[in-house]
């Protein structure tokens, strides 16, 4: 039986120079203006996409790798996606907007107030992609960066604090009774709120200290009315965080049946341990398909990528250096990576994308980069090149394994949106996989609809 699935879009470059390095740059959109994103968001909503997740990193990275990050705009510049959200809400009616937020960069009280405001402004369509990036730590204090697991501990303390502020107005605190209109037309006896029902909230933790209550309205649906929480991360600590806290887990793993089932089982085990309903944690696998018009064209692209030259490998090394905040371009292509090359701040998922199933200690850099350069066919599950029909077959198969949905990964540009969705959406809808109508109640209601 066909399983209905959620479709999301992960804006991998963040609020940055979309089109840079691609032919569609000559469409001459200005990435600093809202028009590019507004047009794309409307197309996503029409396609039945549930949510748009906007990547972000507040820093240009370490001083040693800044040039690698900005040279081809892989890692910057980036504007703050939180401030883009209101433009996208104004242009759409159902699409969930999920900017990235780093607890290292936003104090809990400030965050709770800003995020509550956006949730109210959007009618419940706001979410936050909570990340634990520590590479930007030097911009916010002179404390040394946290290690991988400690950063998750800080994120958990931050989120607990934010939620305590969101819940600092007890039931009945908001009265909003305008009072009666007297004979002269003047209202009397009205009362807006009962301050005695506001919790003081006094948080003194390892990383944060603040008092409440929050100076923002409570959510009408209580905890169910709070912004949706999205998290990435494939480490044990990351999956445990997702199971305990997240509504959506952004998943990166090989899409074999065993891998998909194992990944979902780990997230669900963590959710179960926290007393959460498993159906309230959606696992969406991130995929960057290259959709072409025919199987023959897909075969041609795959064959052309089989033997990458050194120029191709160095271009990939530049991008990987930006993602990993580690300069790979200074290394010997024909030697393994030096021991201890990656700092503790580097994402485990990013390292895994580079290394794959290879032995890091013995595999030459040329082999690792070559693995990223070579394309494979969706049809035989060796890669992501194929027709819309072949990609729909893959999504349908994921559903047979219990999958909740997929995140399409790429620039948010009208060209990339239409290139990916124009043929795919009708196929998915005819197969009953993609939504044709929206639920009432915002992003969380849409995620829980199936």
């Amino acid at each position: 039986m066909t399983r209905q699935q959620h479709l999301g879009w992960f804006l991998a470059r963040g609020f940055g120079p979309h089109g840079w390095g691609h032919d569609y740059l000559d469409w001459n959109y200005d990435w600093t203006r809202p028009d590019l994103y507004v047009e794309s968001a409307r197309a996503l909503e029409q396609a039945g996409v549930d949510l748009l997740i906007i990547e972000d990193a507040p820093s240009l990275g370490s001083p040693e790798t800044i040039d690698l990050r900005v040279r081809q705009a892989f890692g910057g510049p980036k504007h703050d996606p939180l401030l883009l959200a209101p433009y996208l809400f104004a242009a759409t009616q159902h699409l969930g907007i999920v900017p990235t937020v780093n607890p290292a960069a936003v104090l809990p009280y400030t965050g709770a107030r800003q995020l509550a405001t956006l949730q109210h402004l959007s009618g419940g369509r706001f979410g936050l992609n909570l990340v634990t990036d520590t590479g930007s730590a030097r911009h916010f204090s002179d404390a040394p960066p946290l290690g991988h697991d400690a950063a998750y501990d800080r994120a958990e303390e931050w989120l607990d604090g934010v939620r305590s502020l969101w819940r600092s107005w007890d039931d009945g605190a908001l009265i909003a009774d305008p009072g009666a209109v007297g004979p002269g037309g003047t209202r009397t006896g009205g009362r807006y709120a009962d301050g005695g029902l506001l919790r003081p909230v006094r948080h003194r933790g390892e990383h944060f200290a603040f008092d409440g209550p929050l100076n923002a309205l409570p959510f009408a649906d209580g905890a169910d009315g709070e912004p949706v929480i999205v998290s990435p991360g494939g480490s044990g600590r990351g999956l445990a965080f997702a199971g305990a806290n997240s509504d959506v887990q952004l998943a990166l793993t090989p899409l074999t049946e065993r891998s998909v089932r194992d990944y979902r089982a780990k997230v669900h085990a963590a959710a179960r341990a926290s007393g959460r309903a498993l159906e309230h944690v959606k696992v969406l696998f991130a995929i960057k398909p290259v959709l072409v018009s025919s199987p023959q064209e897909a075969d041609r692209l795959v064959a052309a990528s089989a033997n990458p030259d050194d120029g191709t490998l160095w271009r990939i090394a530049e991008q990987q250096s930006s993602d990993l905040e580690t300069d790979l371009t200074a290394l010997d292509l024909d030697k393994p990576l030096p021991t201890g090359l990656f700092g503790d701040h580097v994402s485990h998922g990013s390292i895994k994308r580079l290394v794959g199933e290879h032995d890091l200690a013995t595999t030459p850099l040329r082999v690792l980069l070559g693995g990223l350069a070579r394309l494979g066919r969706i049809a035989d599950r060796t890669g992501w090149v194929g027709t819309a029909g072949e990609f729909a077959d893959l999504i349908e198969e994921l559903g047979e394994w219990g999958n909740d949905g997929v995140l399409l990964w790429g620039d948010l540009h009208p060209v990339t949106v239409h290139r990916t969705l124009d043929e795919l959406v009708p196929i998915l809808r005819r197969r009953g996989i993609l939504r044709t109508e929206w639920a009432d109640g915002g992003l969380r209601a849409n995620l829980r609809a199936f």
Side-chain angles (χ1 to χ4, degrees):
M1 179 179 176
T2 300
R3 177 185 172 92
Q4 198 168 15
Q5 294 187 61
H6 300 279
L7 205 60
W9 191 282
F10 182 69
L11 200 174
R13 195 190 287 264
F15 186 1
H18 294 273
W20 186 262
H22 299 281
D23 290 342
Y24 51 83
L25 180 69
D26 293 326
W27 275 75
N28 293 339
Y29 282 97
D30 181 350
W31 72 268
T32 67
R33 305 288 300 166
D35 314 73
L36 165 64
Y37 311 95
V38 163
E39 186 175 337
S40 301
R42 284 176 174 150
L44 292 183
E45 181 170 89
Q46 185 66 32
V49 171
D50 286 87
L51 71 167
L52 167 65
I53 302 172
I54 309 175
E55 182 272 351
D56 189 41
S59 174
L60 288 171
S62 64
E64 295 78 16
T65 57
I66 280 180
D67 184 59
L68 286 167
R69 290 177 63 78
V70 302
R71 190 183 301 168
Q72 297 300 328
F74 291 132
K78 297 182 181 186
H79 289 177
D80 189 334
L82 213 58
L83 304 182
L84 178 63
Y87 291 94
L88 305 186
F89 287 132
T92 55
Q93 295 179 303
H94 306 286
L95 181 68
I97 305 298
V98 184
T100 293
V101 173
N102 187 336
V106 184
L107 292 172
Y109 189 92
T110 305
R113 193 159 180 256
Q114 290 177 335
L115 305 179
T117 302
L118 287 166
Q119 180 73 335
H120 283 291
L121 282 172
S122 67
R125 291 192 287 135
F126 180 71
L128 58 150
N129 177 37
L130 198 58
V131 300
T132 56
D133 160 52
T134 59
S136 56
R138 64 192 174 92
H139 301 301
F140 306 108
S141 81
D142 58 2
L146 297 178
H148 178 272
D149 287 3
Y152 273 104
D153 294 342
R154 177 174 60 189
E156 206 141 40
E157 183 188 335
W158 184 90
L159 184 56
D160 287 346
V162 166
R163 282 172 165 162
S164 72
L165 290 166
W166 284 340
R167 299 167 189 177
S168 60
W169 287 53
D170 278 342
D171 291 344
L174 176 63
I175 300 171
D177 177 2
V181 179
T186 302
R187 289 189 180 275
T188 58
R191 184 165 185 179
Y192 194 80
D194 181 350
L197 294 176
L198 269 63
R199 302 182 190 179
V201 180
R202 187 174 189 274
H203 180 92
R204 298 294 182 269
E206 181 177 357
H207 303 285
F208 303 104
F210 59 86
D211 290 343
L214 187 66
N215 187 14
L217 276 186
F219 302 115
D221 296 329
D224 282 346
E226 294 172 2
V228 161
I229 305 298
V230 176
S231 63
S235 67
R237 184 67 180 89
L239 296 180
F241 179 92
N245 298 289
S246 303
D247 301 285
V248 175
Q249 169 68 356
L250 192 165
L252 288 169
T253 191
L255 295 186
T256 64
E257 181 174 2
R258 179 175 180 179
S259 180
V260 167
R261 289 188 184 278
D262 285 352
Y263 192 103
R264 289 174 52 80
K266 290 175 184 174
V267 174
H268 286 165
R272 192 178 293 111
S274 297
R276 301 184 66 204
L278 304 190
E279 63 269 25
H280 290 176
V281 188
K282 304 299 184 184
V283 180
L284 306 186
F285 290 91
I287 306 175
K288 189 176 183 180
V290 179
L291 300 186
V292 295
S293 59
S294 69
Q296 293 76 22
E297 175 63 5
D299 289 339
R300 188 191 68 77
L301 286 178
V302 170
S305 73
N307 298 296
D309 58 25
D310 284 4
T312 299
L313 297 182
W314 286 126
R315 282 194 292 278
I316 295 172
E318 278 191 326
Q319 181 165 7
Q320 289 296 307
S321 298
S322 174
D323 291 347
L324 294 160
E325 292 192 54
T326 306
D327 188 2
L328 304 181
T329 66
L331 304 177
D332 189 329
L333 279 176
D334 295 308
K335 292 183 178 178
L337 302 183
T339 302
L341 176 67
F342 299 115
D344 197 34
H345 65 283
V346 178
S347 157
H348 290 196
S350 296
I351 297 173
K352 189 171 179 58
R353 278 199 297 279
L354 171 67
V355 177
E357 300 303 319
H358 295 289
D359 181 353
L360 185 62
T362 60
T363 307
L365 178 59
R366 178 185 298 279
V367 174
L368 301 181
L369 297 176
L372 297 177
R374 295 186 190 89
L375 303 175
R377 292 281 274 112
I378 293 173
D380 60 12
R381 305 295 186 260
T382 59
W384 308 113
V385 183
T387 65
E390 291 169 347
F391 187 45
D393 291 343
L394 170 63
I395 295 175
E396 189 167 359
E397 187 173 33
L398 288 169
E400 293 169 0
W401 301 339
N403 188 46
D404 300 312
V406 298
L407 281 171
L408 302 170
W409 183 302
D411 273 11
L412 185 70
H413 190 288
V415 170
T416 60
V417 170
H418 285 287
R419 185 179 289 164
T420 305
L421 296 177
D422 280 359
E423 292 187 43
L424 180 64
V425 167
I427 296 172
L428 292 178
R429 286 213 166 113
R430 286 197 293 269
R431 297 188 187 186
I433 296 172
L434 183 61
R435 71 164 64 248
T436 57
E437 58 187 21
W438 301 94
D440 292 329
L443 177 55
R444 178 170 280 102
N446 280 318
L447 290 170
R448 291 184 178 180
F450 50 85

